[in-house]
Amino acid sequence: MSQIFQRIFHERDPVAEQLPLYGSPIPIIVLTLIYLAIVLVLGPLFMRNRKPFNIKNVILAYNFAQIIANCWLCYQFIVIFYANRADVPDFGCLTKFPHSPALQELNIYGLYIFYLLKVIDYVETVFFVLRKSFKQVSFLHIYHHIMMSTFVYYLGSYYGGAGQYASVIALNCAVHGFMYTYYLISALQPNKKMGLWWKKYITRIQLTHFVLVLLHHSYPLIFRPQCGFPKGLLWFAVCQSLIMVALFGNFYRRTYLQNKQNKEKEDINGNKEKSVKNK
């Protein structure tokens, strides 16, 4: 696998290669395999004859830390790019910035922090297993986590920076900041179901995020063919955006639209039965 990516990117980035968990693909591969084993096999077996664990305080701390980390990283990308906007010739084609130390540093170290956050995201699924919320351990959930962590590793390790994906990082962190705020409030008030009225808007925001990513990476392919960012990575982002729009769109349809229709049918049938009994 490493040889394939070396042929695409020609060489590993010397700076990224010195960072922990970035120098070799073995750590991310091992972590991902352990993650799959725990959430799909070992975890369910361990919880089979056990009651759900009460890990509310751990989840609260985790959600709060995720809010701080994601909002901080989103802020860093927006502020540093804005402060150095004169060094960005075209926001529609973001590559490396050798003439801007601030952008160059953000390009690699900002991506590296984002990568660590995507690996830490694996813990969320473990929480689902420990709480026996197996319904939340869906294909969409697992696929999204693994795809993000493994790809961000290769992006930083071989390309050596965020490049066009800087927009993805800012958008993704903003969405996750909002999402973990919902999780935090829901964990504080688990019995009130107060989040249901805005839970669906999180999915809408995620869908909007993937559409924006699709447009942002399609732009240089169509209007900036001379853009220095690797075409393969642009096509990957376009294809992944389409996949995620389809998966999240299907989840939204099943969870909110279909359930709403079923509930309306039940209400109609219930009203009919009441009227018949009254007669």
Side-chain angles (χ1 to χ4, degrees):
M1 186 177 290
S2 295
Q3 292 180 352
I4 294 175
F5 277 88
Q6 284 175 352
R7 290 175 183 174
I8 296 175
F9 302 114
H10 303 297
E11 60 183 10
R12 294 174 65 89
D13 185 79
V15 177
E17 198 166 14
Q18 304 303 315
L19 296 172
L21 299 180
Y22 245 14
S24 167
I26 294 177
I28 185 60
I29 292 173
V30 171
L31 285 171
T32 301
L33 292 175
I34 292 174
Y35 167 71
L36 287 172
I38 290 174
V39 302
L40 295 179
V41 181
L42 300 179
L45 285 174
F46 177 75
M47 295 301 299
R48 178 179 294 175
N49 299 317
R50 288 178 171 86
K51 293 182 179 179
F53 282 94
N54 183 6
I55 53 174
K56 178 180 177 179
N57 291 335
V58 176
I59 293 175
L60 288 174
Y62 173 81
N63 290 336
F64 182 75
Q66 283 279 11
I67 293 169
I68 298 300
N70 279 279
C71 290
W72 174 81
L73 189 57
C74 177
Y75 173 81
Q76 291 298 316
F77 267 86
I78 293 173
V79 169
I80 293 177
F81 263 93
Y82 180 80
N84 298 273
R85 59 191 181 279
D87 296 321
V88 185
D90 186 358
F91 276 95
C93 173
L94 301 176
T95 55
K96 297 180 181 180
F97 305 94
H99 304 297
S100 175
L103 288 176
Q104 185 72 339
E105 185 176 3
L106 180 70
N107 214 18
I108 180 59
Y109 292 108
L111 179 66
Y112 177 64
I113 295 172
F114 184 68
Y115 164 67
L116 294 180
L117 286 176
K118 296 303 105 181
V119 175
I120 293 172
D121 281 350
Y122 284 177
V123 177
E124 180 186 0
T125 319
V126 178
F127 290 158
F128 292 158
V129 174
L130 293 176
R131 294 170 57 209
K132 300 189 80 167
S133 299
F134 298 121
K135 187 177 180 181
Q136 293 179 281
V137 187
S138 62
F139 170 79
L140 170 59
H141 178 87
I142 294 176
Y143 171 79
H144 181 57
H145 279 325
I146 293 177
M147 184 273 295
M148 288 296 295
S149 63
T150 53
F151 177 73
V152 173
Y153 163 78
Y154 281 110
L155 175 64
S157 183
Y158 287 91
Y159 179 67
Q164 190 76 354
Y165 282 77
S167 62
V168 178
I169 295 174
L171 283 170
N172 188 274
C173 287
V175 170
H176 277 72
F178 186 78
M179 182 180 72
Y180 282 108
T181 299
Y182 162 76
Y183 289 158
L184 180 66
I185 296 174
S186 297
L188 287 170
Q189 299 178 325
N191 298 322
K192 292 188 176 181
K193 301 294 183 182
M194 55 79 60
L196 289 178
W197 71 271
W198 63 301
K199 183 179 179 181
K200 66 180 179 181
Y201 293 105
I202 295 177
T203 307
R204 289 184 182 181
I205 290 173
Q206 289 172 316
L207 281 168
T208 303
H209 156 242
F210 290 119
V211 171
L212 291 175
V213 171
L214 173 65
L215 294 175
H216 184 59
H217 287 81
S218 297
Y219 181 82
L221 287 171
I222 299 172
F223 300 104
R224 296 289 187 274
Q226 302 304 318
C227 181
F229 193 75
K231 296 293 188 296
L233 294 178
L234 293 174
W235 280 112
F236 179 86
V238 169
C239 293
Q240 280 301 315
S241 297
L242 290 172
I243 291 172
M244 298 312 294
V245 167
L247 290 174
F248 272 89
N250 184 55
F251 169 80
Y252 185 87
R253 178 186 61 80
R254 289 187 294 103
T255 304
Y256 302 110
L257 300 181
Q258 200 171 67
N259 286 345
K260 183 180 179 181
Q261 292 175 353
N262 293 336
K263 187 175 180 181
E264 288 176 350
K265 288 180 181 179
E266 289 176 0
D267 291 340
I268 293 172
N269 293 333
N271 292 330
K272 285 181 179 179
E273 290 177 2
K274 287 181 182 178
S275 62
V276 170
K277 288 181 180 179
N278 291 333
K279 290 180 180 180

